[in-house]
Amino acid sequence: IADLVSGLIAKSLVGRVADTGSTVPQRFTMLETIREFGIEQLVKAGEEDDIRRLHAHYYFGVVISTTVTGRRVHRLFEPESSFIQFVRASYGNVRSALEFLVNKEDRERALEMATRLTIHWWLIGHYAECESWLKQTLSPSGDLPRKHRANALWSMSMMMHEQGRIEDAAPLAAEAVALNRETGDDLALLSSLSNLSNIELSLGHVEQARENALEGLRLSRQIDFSDGIAGFLMQLGRISVELGELENAQ
């Protein structure tokens, strides 16, 4: 394969992308005219759909395998995490893969991929784009796995909150909490409780925000999750400030 790629580079059919110092492996690109010609040949051979499906499944797999989950999920929010670097460098391919999954109504894969990409869109401020993809992948009939639906509702409510549509975000955030209680996923429940508490606080529903934060703190201590304990203590401090309880806030 190395010799084949070198030959294509020598003929200027493929170019090497300059190293930016990231952890993303060496990448290559091709002229747009070459890419269009290749697609035309696939169409003529009746193979375009098969190749696009392989492409979509490959990038779906990379997105899923690169995403940090569980107790290390906070690392995703670091702009220089390997996941963010990968998505930034490969976004054209990632977006094309997601579009294929949506168009082919492969809703479960599309929904999981869009949910995993939420962090990327959040970091670059593309809240409306994230919301649009999630709306396209959520099934109106609710026939998707509860875990995936809960994650998508969590993501969508976050994006709505960031856009100032707090009243629209609240019921979605509440449903995400309810679904995560049903699935028994403690870490997902903690994320959704934190999100709902933030939204309730933005709405001025201080007591509801406190109840959600206290539930999150109890669960974090129960499972010995230090990041959760710290996060919910900070949230309770903010709530105490809102209530004028400055001694409690300290």
Side-chain angles (χ1 to χ4, degrees):
I1 295 177
D3 290 341
L4 176 61
V5 172
S6 297
L8 293 172
I9 292 173
K11 296 176 182 177
S12 299
L13 295 174
V14 170
R16 193 189 304 269
V17 176
D19 183 9
T20 60
S22 72
T23 59
V24 177
Q26 176 66 63
R27 299 179 64 251
F28 301 89
T29 187
M30 66 177 66
L31 293 173
E32 184 65 20
T33 51
I34 300 297
R35 189 186 74 85
E36 290 176 354
F37 175 76
I39 292 174
E40 288 175 4
Q41 297 308 301
L42 288 174
V43 172
K44 288 180 180 178
E47 298 177 355
E48 182 189 17
D49 213 50
D50 292 338
I51 297 301
R52 287 193 182 277
R53 181 173 288 102
L54 289 171
H55 175 270
H57 288 185
Y58 170 79
Y59 276 95
F60 167 81
V62 175
V63 166
I64 300 306
S65 65
T66 311
T67 311
V68 177
T69 57
R71 297 183 179 230
R72 298 181 299 153
V73 71
H74 65 281
R75 296 182 183 178
L76 277 180
F77 290 85
E78 300 171 1
E80 298 309 315
S81 71
S82 59
F83 172 73
I84 295 301
Q85 288 187 17
F86 163 75
V87 176
R88 186 187 301 141
S90 309
Y91 189 63
N93 282 308
V94 170
R95 194 179 190 282
S96 176
L98 179 56
E99 186 174 23
F100 179 87
L101 294 175
V102 169
N103 290 340
K104 294 300 178 181
E105 297 189 352
D106 190 344
R107 290 189 181 277
E108 189 169 336
R109 281 194 180 92
L111 183 61
E112 187 173 3
M113 188 173 186
T115 303
R116 298 294 184 100
L117 291 169
T118 293
I119 303 303
H120 165 74
W121 287 313
W122 181 80
L123 282 171
I124 63 176
H126 288 193
Y127 311 129
E129 181 180 4
C130 179
E131 183 183 347
S132 174
W133 281 114
L134 290 168
K135 281 181 176 177
Q136 291 180 67
T137 55
L138 272 171
S139 172
S141 62
D143 59 353
L144 291 161
R146 287 178 296 175
K147 177 181 178 179
H148 294 337
R149 182 171 178 82
N151 289 338
L153 291 171
W154 169 78
S155 297
M156 193 181 300
S157 61
M158 278 181 58
M159 297 304 106
M160 289 177 171
H161 190 195
E162 292 288 356
Q163 295 174 81
R165 291 163 43 222
I166 309 170
E167 292 186 357
D168 292 335
L172 302 186
E175 185 180 347
V177 168
L179 287 170
N180 281 321
R181 284 199 181 104
E182 292 176 12
T183 62
D185 186 333
D186 288 339
L187 293 176
L189 177 56
L190 288 175
S191 294
S192 57
L193 282 168
S194 175
N195 181 46
L196 182 57
S197 180
N198 284 327
I199 290 171
E200 294 285 14
L201 189 58
S202 295
L203 286 170
H205 302 163
V206 184
E207 287 302 330
Q208 292 94 320
R210 173 182 271 175
E211 288 177 12
N212 288 309
L214 285 170
E215 181 182 349
L217 180 60
R218 286 193 296 269
L219 179 56
S220 295
R221 284 173 169 163
Q222 181 181 326
I223 65 173
D224 193 24
F225 183 38
S226 58
D227 287 340
I229 294 170
F232 284 110
L233 284 173
M234 288 180 61
Q235 178 72 345
L236 288 166
R238 290 175 58 207
I239 292 168
S240 293
V241 169
E242 288 289 327
L243 291 170
E245 301 171 355
L246 300 184
E247 289 186 7
N248 288 337
Q250 293 177 346

